[in-house]
Amino acid sequence: MAEENSMEWNGETVRKWLESRVISARSDQVVAERGGRELQDDCDKATAEELVCTFMKSRESTTVQKAFADDLRTLLDRDEYVGRGVYDDTRFDRHVRSYIRKLIKMTKANDGFEKTARYQ
């Protein structure tokens, strides 16, 4: 386990992972939209993932682990988040914060960015 955590931070891998998550989130939004009212929470969750990943993949900080973590914490400190096509603003805000915390944990452990499968 110690060897896995000693992997070198790879900004290109992180950017590719973020891009793959944006594509998956957009696809999940389409499926949720077609599912009607009972899938609105899934749509908000996918929109939250897309917002965070889109924002973070455009940052220069992806090349340095500490800078990436700092940008995530700055994003987490925002008062509110605005997404398009959101059904419930409170729920959306909660999903955004939850997703950012997930990315902070992944960044700290430098683990999971090599997994680009659609479902995670």
Side-chain angles (χ1 to χ4, degrees), residues 61-118:
S61 64
T62 56
T63 58
V64 179
Q65 187 175 9
K66 182 179 178 348
F68 189 71
D70 290 344
D71 277 354
L72 285 167
R73 285 185 185 89
T74 299
L75 184 59
L76 186 62
D77 288 341
R78 282 190 181 177
D79 289 334
E80 62 182 33
Y81 305 94
V82 179
R84 56 183 160 64
V86 173
Y87 291 100
D88 183 317
D89 290 333
T90 303
R91 188 172 49 202
F92 174 73
D93 187 71
R94 186 174 59 241
H95 289 316
V96 170
R97 292 179 190 286
S98 174
Y99 199 78
I100 293 169
R101 284 191 289 278
K102 172 188 172 181
L103 284 181
I104 288 171
K105 288 178 186 175
M106 287 175 63
T107 301
K108 185 176 180 181
N110 190 17
D111 186 40
F113 293 109
E114 69 285 349
K115 300 174 186 172
T116 56
R118 180 163 184 252

